[in-house]
């Protein structure tokens, strides 16, 4: 009673008073300095409540909440600061977000806001065409939402740029406070007093040494009988300490630290056990520390945690993460015990388990690093099952692991049947499984695509004449709409076929009106305009992916792709699937025409079965076949004309001013076009129809007709004169653009309103085409008012305004920024430049460039001006390139790309006189010396692209740029210099060639192999592209993965001087010796890397006409073909296949390839396309599986098979026998009943540590289902685990065990 009364009094008085009343004595733990930790009486087990707490009983120990803390709320007083919970929510990351993660989040938010913006613009555009009165309120709401999205996009992009710049700064040690991770309780609101108190405490903690803090936390963990929150809180502090001081884990006193960990892991609270695993995981430093951890008997604890039920998921997850931490340590995989691994296998086999996916991922990592370990533990069964049912979401990683095994013969033997990979096709080829859920079908579709997009996968599927692929194509006959659609998607993804712009309309059932569709094609449908590509051999990009696609296409055609598509089209030509098959069939024919040799593609366009059926049937019954033929022909013609239109459009937009034009209007083919030579009557009628003369509100004007008139009859001098003198058409139209009218300048900056900018640009260009238009524009108030508004930005002009027209808000939210587009149209004409100079705008431009806080305005100015003419604008750009801040210098450098890469036919006479390209190259050379690396890198990329044309490359060499300070950044540009004699001589004088040649011969070839394989992997992966980039943030060099990177020896053999140097150096002979050396082990990492480097070097040399004679002299092609057809390593065969394609690019090399039986693809002029194929696919895909290797693996597994485990005690021997029987699905139920019977008759048997260890050995050497493992371990007394972990003697607790009542009988699930 006295003790109970003192407890109540101390609770009511609070912790401060109670601390004064109670004197420290034996059994009390000295309090920490913060005075907030609970105290414990070891003899009474009494916990004193904090100030203001209730006497009501809180949650029981070990109770689980969202933050793993008790949620007792205070009744009065200021809430005390709480420490951070173990997890704020399930699955929280253990480390702070990295800069890559923050950038990813910002990009995702930007993508989301861009989608909202695009949707708002489309809705607003639709509302504009409706009745203004009825949609006014709705338009206002949409405009408000649009403005909010634009502001958010600007803010998020600013944060992203800041994050990117921060990531590029030199790394400094973090100064995050230790308890910065500790948050206030979610049930309390943060207050300023708590924050200031916490700051003072943090400052005190940071002033202490980490070793003192470590010892303090470990001392606190000695207390027994505390609430689970107490231990979880200190475990979190310990993890934070390890994160802040990583070197601290190397100085741990493991005898003391290990005892604390063992105590936590033996706790009855799941949260405390999970915290113990987390602390142990962060304390691991190397393999030695792993061995120390295992000596703490953590294997038994991990097995026990993993087999628990789903309500202990947080403990199970941390236990599995603890095991995965072994894989992050060098050599740590060998410390994973067989018992733990078999437990993970049993989780992976249990479909309903939440940790199944994580267990499969763990098995995949172990399979890649140590295949024998995973196979001996039975890990192949759940992995093959995941391939079979398509339930595993990470299908790409599953495919990668399986393909890694198939690549090398030493690992291939672990795939016992050789058909494990074929299981991925079962869900499509099985008539019953094909009706599975859509998610499983999609997962299997991704898996099949990943398999077919790799060399090991393609070789693995070659079993029995590509039977798996044949079955997939035959599954198109099954009546499953989803499966058919996904199969067609697989074919499109494998062949990298992108749907054309008109595909959605075609699949929806509309007819293909070719002339209308092609007329509507805009630049956005085809990406960026085609830039300059040299006509000389070897200069264009080499697409290795297309060579692989050519091989896959032959495989698909020979396995029945064309016939399967024709059958699908013939079944229902008007359905969506039939139309999709027709579209894919047209693309396949197009690919075959372009990529395959004539012998493979000559018979594809002939469909004798179909044509014969048409001729043998009547008109009514042959209608579907006739419709299908018409459909296929229509698709082929549309594809051809679309490509022609794309090429024509890219040629027409090669001029820099046309490249910057956006928001191109789609022309409706159903409406008649406005004639250029329109007569007066029709012209006046058209002007009246525009509604400009009838309405003052510009919203009611017919802007499409206005644009047609400006681009048509208004370019006629007679019609223009009539529009100026006879009507008020031009006066009102120019008045709309006058700044002080506040009509154009107040319009919202939306996608629909961009048509006003487009019409204004067309109007400026039309007026500049004849003298009368120039005079009218000069005399109008438009330019004078615009000059006055620009003068508001010039502090020296004397013009001021409280609300300037070109304020930051107006240029973002309204069309005010469109005035620079109109000025850009004027700057493209000499007369327009005179108007700009007349109103002193150029002087204002110089002052705008000097503005430090208006980067947005500077980018608008520079991005819209036309610098093709030699004027003051070029001086202004030079100033921006050198004197402005870093973002403006980068932006200005990127602007030079469109002038330095102009095609010769895109430059008019005026541009030729002013040497636009040479001017841009000179400025880019200057940018090479910019102090910021980003600016120099941008200049190097643009110059490298400009070097595709020989004359510009030679001009760049004559500029004599110095690139030594750029190191690797400038290396690609220097390589391009080697392709001309002038560049070779320049680099030879710098002593660059010999040094670079030695670097490539001794080591750079190896890094080239890594680079090209990473590029191919990325090209065939299915990662989404970042489609949210604006034109300004668009990378200069398009990420065309799968193209051939620049190679030193390829560039060297462009000239005769380079070939002579290569012959003198003897490097080619060294490469040939490496290729012909039969002692090179293709499985050895170093040997295979050296061989691949030699293959790529020989291929690059042989791809040039001057380098092809080296091939004939050495007869190395025969050896390369031998590697492609006989190597046991599939990726080595793939490398040889790509190299043979490179060799076939030269005429001489193509002849050598043909002499050895391989067939090279050529175009209609007989020039090589760079793709070659073997005469029969069997030669390339034949892989022999050695029976000796299979027998060796079976023998190895037999040697590792478990030995029988017995016991002298007959009862324990029976227990061991029944445990073994429990692993048999037939005997499991009987074995469980027998074990329960022994549990009732001899309960003391299951308290034996020796028996537990033997059962553990049985579980570690046999495969058991997860419920069976849980059942067997639940049979043992809880004290057994403590004795095992702490190595306590069994006799110490024997008397206690005999007095305990028998536990409830466990049941086998």
């Amino acid at each position: 009673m006295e003790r109970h009364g003192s407890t109540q009094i101390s609770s009511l008085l609070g912790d401060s008073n109670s601390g004064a009343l109670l004197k420290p004595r034996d059994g009390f733990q000295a309090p920490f300095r913060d005075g907030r930790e609970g105290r414990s009486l070891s003899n009474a087990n009494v916990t004193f409540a904090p100030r203001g707490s209730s006497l009501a009983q809180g949650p029981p120990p070990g109770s689980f909440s969202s933050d793993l803390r008790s949620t007792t709320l205070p009744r009065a007083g200021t809430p005390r600061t709480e420490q951070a919970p173990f997890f704020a929510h399930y699955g929280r990351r253990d480390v702070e977000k990295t800069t890559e993660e923050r950038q990813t989040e910002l990009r995702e938010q930007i993508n989301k806001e861009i989608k909202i913006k695009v949707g708002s613009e489309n809705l607003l555009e639709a509302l504009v065409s409706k009745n203004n009165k009825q949609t006014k309120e709705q338009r206002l709401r949409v405009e408000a939402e649009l403005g909010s999205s634009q502001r958010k996009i600007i803010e998020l992009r600013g944060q992203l740029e800041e994050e990117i710049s921060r990531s590029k700064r030199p790394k400094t040690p973090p100064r995050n406070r230790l308890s910065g991770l500790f948050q206030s309780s979610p049930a309390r609101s943060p207050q300023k007093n708590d924050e200031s108190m916490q700051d003072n405490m943090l400052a005190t903690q940071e002033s202490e040494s980490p070793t003192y803090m470590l010892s303090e936390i470990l001392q606190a963990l000695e207390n027994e009988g505390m609430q689970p929150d107490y231990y979880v809180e200190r475990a979190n502090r310990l993890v934070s300490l390890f994160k802040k001081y990583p070197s601290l884990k190397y100085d741990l006193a493991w005898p003391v630290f290990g005892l604390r960990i063992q105590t936590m892991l033996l706790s009855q609270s799941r949260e405390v056990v999970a915290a113990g695993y987390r602390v142990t995981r962060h304390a691991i430093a190397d393999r030695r520390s792993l061995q120390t951890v295992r000596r703490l008997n953590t294997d038994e604890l991990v097995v026990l945690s993993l087999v628990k039920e789903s309500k202990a998921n947080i403990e199970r997850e941390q236990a599995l993460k603890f095991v995965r931490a072994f894989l992050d340590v060098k050599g740590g995989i060998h410390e994973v015990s067989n018992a733990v691994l078999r437990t993970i296998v049993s989780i992976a086999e249990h479909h309903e388990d939440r940790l199944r996916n994580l267990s499969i991922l763990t098995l995949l990592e172990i399979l890649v690093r140590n295949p024998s370990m995973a196979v001996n533990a039975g890990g192949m069964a759940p992995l093959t099952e995941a391939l079979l049912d398509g339930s595993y979401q990470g299908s790409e990683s599953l495919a990668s692991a399986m393909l890694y095994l198939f690549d090398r013969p030493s690992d291939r033997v672990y795939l016992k049947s050789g058909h494990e990979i074929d299981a991925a096709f079962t869900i499509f080829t099985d008539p019953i499984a094909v009706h599975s859920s859509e998610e499983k079908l999609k997962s299997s579709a991704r898996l099949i695509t990943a398999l077919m997009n790799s060399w090991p996968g393609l070789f693995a599927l070659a079993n029995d004449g590509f039977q798996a692929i044949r079955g997939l194509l035959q599954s198109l006959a099954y009546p499953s709409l989803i499966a058919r659609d996904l199969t067609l998607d697989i074919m499109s993804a494998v062949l990298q076929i992108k749907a054309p712009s008109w595909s959605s309309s075609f699949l929806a059932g509309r007819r293909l009106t070719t002339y209308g569709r092609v007329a509507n094609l805009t630049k956005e449908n085809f990406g960026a305009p085609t830039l300059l590509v040299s006509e000389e051999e070897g200069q264009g990009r080499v697409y290795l992916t297309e060579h692989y696609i050519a091989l896959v296409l032959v495989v698909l055609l020979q396995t029945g792709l064309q016939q399967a598509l024709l059958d699908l089209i013939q079944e229902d030509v008007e359905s969506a699937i039939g139309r999709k098959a027709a579209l894919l069939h047209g693309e396949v024919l197009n690919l075959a025409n372009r990529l395959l040799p004539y012998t493979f593609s000559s018979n594809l366009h002939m469909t004798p079965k179909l044509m014969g059926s048409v001729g043998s049937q009547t008109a009514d019954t042959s209608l579907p076949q006739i419709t299908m033929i018409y459909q296929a022909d229509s698709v082929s013609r549309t594809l051809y004309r679309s490509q022609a239109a794309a090429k024509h459009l890219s040629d027409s937009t090669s001029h820099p001013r046309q490249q910057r034009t956006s928001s191109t209007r789609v022309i409706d083919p159903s409406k008649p076009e406005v004639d250029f030579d329109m007569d007066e009557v029709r012209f006046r009628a058209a002007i009246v129809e525009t509604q400009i003369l009838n309405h003052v509100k510009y919203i009611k004007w017919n802007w499409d007709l206005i644009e047609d008139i400006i681009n048509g009859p208004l370019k006629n001098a007679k019609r223009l004169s009539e529009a100026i003198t006879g009507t008020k058409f031009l006066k009102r139209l120019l008045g709309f653009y006058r700044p002080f009218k506040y009509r154009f300048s107040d319009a919202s900056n939306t996608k629909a309103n961009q048509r006003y900018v487009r019409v204004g640009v067309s109007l400026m260009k039309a007026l500049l085409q004849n003298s009368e238009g120039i005079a009218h524009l000069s005399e109008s108030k438009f330019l004078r008012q615009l000059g006055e508004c620009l003068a508001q930005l010039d502090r020296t002009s004397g013009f001021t305004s409280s609300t300037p027209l070109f304020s930051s808000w107006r240029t973002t939210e309204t069309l005010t920024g469109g005035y620079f587009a109109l000025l850009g149209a004027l700057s493209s004409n000499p007369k327009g430049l005179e108007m700009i100079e007349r109103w002193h705008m150029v002087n204002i431009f110089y002052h705008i460039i000097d503005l430090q806080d208006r980067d947005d305005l500077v980018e608008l100015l520079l991005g819209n001006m036309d610098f093709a003419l030699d004027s003051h604008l070029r001086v202004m750009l030079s100033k921006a390139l050198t004197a402005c801040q870093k973002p403006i210098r980068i932006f200005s450098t990127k602007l030079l790309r469109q002038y330095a890469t102009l095609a010769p036919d895109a430059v008019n006479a005026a541009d030729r006189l002013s040497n636009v390209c040479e001017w841009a190259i000179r400025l880019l050379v200057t940018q090479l010396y910019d102090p910021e690396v980003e600016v120099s890198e941008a200049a190097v990329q643009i110059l490298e692209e400009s070097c595709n044309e020989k004359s510009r490359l030679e001009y760049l060499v004559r500029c004599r740029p110095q690139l030594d300070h750029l190191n690797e950044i400038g290396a690609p540009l220097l390589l391009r210099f080697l392709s001309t004699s002038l560049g070779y001589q320049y680099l030879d004088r710098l002593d660059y060639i010999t040094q670079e040649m030695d670097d490539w011969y001794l080591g750079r070839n190896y890094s080239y192999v890594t680079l090209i394989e990473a590029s191919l992997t990325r090209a065939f992966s299915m990662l989404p592209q970042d489609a949210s980039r604006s034109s300004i943030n668009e990378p200069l060099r398009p990420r065309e993965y799968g193209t051939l990177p620049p190679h030193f020896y390829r560039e060297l053999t462009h000239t005769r001087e380079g070939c002579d140097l290569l012959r003198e150096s003897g490097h080619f002979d060294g490469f040939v010796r490496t290729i012909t050396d039969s002692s090179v082990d293709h499985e050895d990492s170093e040997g295979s890397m050296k061989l691949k480097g030699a293959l790529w070097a020989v291929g690059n040399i042989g791809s040039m006409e001057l380098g092809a004679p080296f091939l004939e002299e050495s007869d190395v092609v025969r050896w390369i073909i031998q590697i492609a057809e006989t190597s046991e390593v599939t990726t080595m065969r793939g490398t040889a296949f790509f190299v043979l394609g490179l060799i076939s690019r030269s005429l001489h090399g193509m002849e050598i390839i043909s002499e050895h039986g391989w067939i090279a693809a050529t175009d209609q002029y007989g020039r090589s396309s760079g793709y070659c194929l073997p005469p029969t696919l069997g030669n390339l895909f034949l892989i022999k599986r050695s029976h000796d290797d299979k027998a060796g693996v079976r023998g190895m597994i037999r040697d590792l098979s478990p030995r029988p485990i017995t016991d002298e005690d007959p009862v324990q021997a029976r227990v061991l026998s029944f445990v073994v029987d429990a692993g048999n699905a037939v005997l499991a139920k009987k074995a469980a009943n027998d074990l329960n019977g022994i549990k009732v008759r001899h309960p003391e048997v299951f308290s034996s540590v020796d028996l537990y260890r033997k059962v553990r050995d049985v579980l570690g050497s046999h495969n058991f289902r997860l419920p069976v493992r849980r059942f067997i371990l639940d049979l043992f007394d809880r004290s057994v685990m403590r004795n095992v972990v702490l190595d306590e003697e069994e006799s110490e607790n024997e008397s206690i065990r005999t007095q305990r009542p028998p536990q409830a009988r466990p049941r086998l699930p």
Side-chain angles (χ1 to χ4, degrees), residues 1140-1155:
L1140 291 172
L1142 281 179
I1143 293 174
S1144 69
R1145 295 184 65 85
S1146 64
L1147 181 61
H1148 201 170
M1150 184 171 61
E1151 294 175 355
I1152 299 175
I1153 290 286
S1154 301
E1155 291 176 359

Side-chain angles (χ1 to χ4, degrees), residues 981 984 1052-1062 1106:
S981 297
Y984 179 90
L1052 187 66
T1053 50
H1054 272 84
T1055 60
R1056 297 194 177 277
E1057 297 91 337
C1059 292
D1060 294 339
L1061 180 63
L1062 178 62
L1106 294 178

